[in-house]
Amino acid sequence: LVIYQGKSKKPAETGDKVPADYAKIGRGNLTIKVEGTGTVEPRTRVSLKSKASGRIEKLLVKEGDNVTKGQIVAVLDQTDQKLVVERAALAEKNARLRFESAKTSGLPQQLKTAEARVSELRLSLKNAQDRCDRIAQLFEKGYASQQEMDDAQKAVDSLKLQLDEAENTLRLLKSKDYERDIETAKISWQQAEVELRQARKSLGDASITSPIDGTILAKFVEEGDTVVSSNQGFTEGTTLCAIADLHQVQVRGSIDEVDIGTVRIGQSAEMKVDAYPDRTYDGKVVNVFPQGSTAPGGLTTFTVIVQVDNTDRSLLSNMTASIGIKTLELKDLLLVPFAAIRPGDKPEEVVVFVRNDKGIPEKKVVKLGVTDYEFYEVKEGLKEGDIVKIKNFPMNAQGGNVTVT
């Protein structure tokens, strides 16, 4: 249960000595606090993963060790991973050679030669056909012999056969997709290059170093274990250890929804842990979560982050802490001790017993304001210097809870 509490500046006592069962009314300050519980956690915490894959050859830290940024935490044996890189390098080389071979193949030159051959034969056939036509005309007039006519026709027929063969060769060469073969070889080479880069990236650095100054909170591997690179696309990688900077910590506290409305970022707070019951740590609210969480019993609480200085590193991760957030500070109020308040004869009436000039306590109705459960603010009914009873009340004085309006 979260309640309002706080510390007040006790009114100064002046003048004549006040009896032990009385207290003098004076002016002072009230600090209203919202209380809750939480857990100490470091502000900066990292899970150390390896960018390389391999077997842990040396693990150089244990829980509680202090490390500095760049300090070597573990060393890997990467014999197996180096073989993976070598295989990838050979595959990349073979793919590159296939691409170069595809680019330098004789197909383009063969196409040019076949096209030239077809053009040449078509021209020769045209000339032979023209000559055959002229001889045919001369043969009809009797100026050419049958032998000349036959030879001319044989020449035409021969060139037609050669042209058909040349055109077939050209069509066969054109049916080969030279550009596609080159593109396919190029893509295979690029894929092999990517696999080689990935293998080299997974190999990484055999020495794993701490990214921050901090303390080893926990380690999750031992020498001989195999770690997987965090650069692998299909896995987050193996976590070697958790490192945190314990010089700056925070408390993740829970505040009841009834009280969360008075909590603001920037408010000062006090914190205590069971390990040091006589010590109070100063802190500041740095975050108030906008969404609450409801427990099975129906109680809704909101998370509040309180930043605490831990220069001496006395606070450890996961310690249970109690926090008091100063939500209201009032100065120079007329204050009456909490113990002096009694219920009156009417509902919601509050009274105190004021010592008169004869030393007799007289009942007096008062109107009260805020309280830190040590003192109440007096709005009406008392004045500075009044002496009120705080124990050994008259027999007709009732005890019990007080309702303040």
Side-chain angles (χ1 to χ4, degrees):
L1 178 65
V2 181
I3 60 175
Y4 285 98
Q5 283 192 338
K7 290 184 178 180
S8 60
K9 179 181 177 182
K10 186 177 180 180
E13 295 183 1
T14 58
D16 298 336
K17 185 176 179 180
V18 179
D21 54 352
Y22 284 88
K24 182 175 288 189
I25 300 297
R27 307 194 74 84
N29 305 330
L30 278 183
T31 299
I32 308 302
K33 295 195 296 182
V34 170
E35 289 198 339
T37 58
T39 302
V40 177
E41 61 184 27
R43 289 179 57 197
T44 303
R45 175 184 173 130
V46 297
S47 295
L48 182 62
K49 299 177 184 290
S50 172
K51 293 182 178 180
S53 297
R55 183 179 60 83
I56 298 178
E57 186 174 15
K58 295 180 181 179
L59 186 60
L60 305 175
V61 296
K62 63 182 183 298
E63 289 88 343
D65 284 354
N66 297 321
V67 294
T68 57
K69 183 177 181 179
Q71 179 178 332
I72 296 176
V73 173
V75 179
L76 302 182
D77 176 3
Q78 297 183 289
T79 302
D80 293 340
Q81 190 60 30
K82 288 178 180 178
L83 292 176
V84 173
V85 173
E86 290 178 8
R87 285 195 296 269
L90 289 175
E92 185 274 336
K93 182 178 180 181
N94 288 333
R96 175 167 49 84
L97 291 176
R98 286 194 297 270
F99 174 58
E100 295 294 338
S101 177
K103 287 198 303 180
T104 58
S105 70
L107 182 58
Q109 185 59 43
Q110 292 175 16
L111 281 170
K112 290 181 180 180
T113 302
E115 289 172 349
R117 176 64 175 164
V118 169
S119 297
E120 180 184 355
L121 288 173
R122 284 175 179 172
L123 181 59
S124 297
L125 177 60
K126 180 179 181 302
N127 292 335
Q129 186 65 55
D130 291 343
R131 182 174 180 277
C132 184
D133 292 342
R134 288 195 301 272
I135 292 176
Q137 292 175 358
L138 292 174
F139 178 74
E140 290 177 358
K141 296 178 180 180
Y143 296 120
S145 65
Q146 182 66 44
Q147 183 65 44
E148 289 177 323
M149 182 65 189
D150 293 340
D151 291 343
Q153 187 61 47
K154 287 179 181 179
V156 171
D157 293 342
S158 175
L159 288 169
K160 283 183 178 180
L161 291 174
Q162 294 180 55
L163 179 59
D164 288 342
E165 182 180 353
E167 286 178 340
N168 288 334
T169 300
L170 180 60
R171 280 193 295 271
L172 180 62
L173 291 173
K174 285 185 175 181
S175 68
K176 296 181 178 180
D177 195 337
Y178 172 69
E179 296 297 334
R180 186 179 65 181
D181 291 344
I182 292 180
E183 185 64 23
T184 300
K186 182 179 181 181
I187 292 174
S188 297
W189 178 35
Q190 290 174 337
Q191 183 177 357
E193 283 186 315
V194 171
E195 291 174 354
L196 177 58
R197 286 197 298 270
Q198 184 65 46
R200 286 173 174 166
K201 191 175 182 181
S202 296
L203 182 65
D205 193 339
S207 297
I208 305 169
T209 59
S210 172
I212 62 171
D213 295 337
T215 302
I216 304 296
L217 296 183
K219 63 183 181 72
F220 307 105
V221 294
E222 300 293 341
E223 291 184 357
D225 289 345
T226 298
V227 299
V228 178
S229 168
S230 59
N231 292 323
Q232 298 283 1
F234 55 85
T235 178
E236 295 181 355
T238 304
T239 301
L240 280 72
C241 58
I243 307 175
D245 180 5
L246 295 178
H247 290 91
Q248 287 291 334
V249 299
Q250 62 188 26
V251 177
R252 186 177 296 266
S254 296
I255 301 297
D256 192 289
E257 63 177 325
V258 175
D259 305 308
I260 195 64
T262 62
V263 178
R264 301 286 186 272
I265 293 176
Q267 290 174 337
S268 58
E270 294 178 346
M271 189 202 76
K272 296 179 74 69
V273 293
D274 292 339
Y276 312 108
D278 297 328
R279 180 173 179 179
T280 300
Y281 296 83
D282 293 327
K284 182 175 68 173
V285 177
V286 295
N287 198 1
V288 179
F289 284 24
Q291 179 169 315
S293 58
T294 303
L299 178 65
T300 299
T301 59
F302 287 80
T303 298
V304 174
I305 304 297
V306 177
Q307 181 178 315
V308 181
D309 181 68
N310 191 33
T311 305
D312 62 355
R313 296 178 54 185
S314 56
L315 296 173
L316 304 179
S317 182
N318 283 345
M319 276 184 168
T320 300
S322 60
I323 54 175
I325 301 171
K326 300 177 183 179
T327 59
L328 183 64
E329 293 188 76
L330 302 172
K331 299 183 181 299
D332 195 29
L333 302 179
L334 187 63
L335 301 178
V336 59
F338 187 86
I341 307 303
R342 302 282 100 180
D345 298 328
K346 301 178 181 179
E348 299 184 357
E349 184 180 72
V350 219
V351 300
V352 296
F353 288 87
V354 181
R355 188 170 186 264
N356 62 18
D357 295 338
K358 298 179 181 180
I360 300 173
E362 295 181 349
K363 183 188 297 186
K364 197 168 187 179
V365 177
V366 295
K367 185 176 181 180
L368 305 176
V370 296
T371 180
D372 63 355
Y373 294 93
E374 185 179 358
F375 289 92
Y376 268 106
E377 174 193 10
V378 179
K379 289 188 173 182
E380 294 179 6
L382 294 173
K383 65 180 183 299
E384 188 173 358
D386 283 345
I387 299 174
V388 296
K389 202 161 186 60
I390 57 175
K391 58 184 178 179
N392 300 325
F393 291 93
M395 295 299 294
N396 62 344
Q398 300 177 4
N401 295 327
V402 176
T403 301
V404 183
T405 59

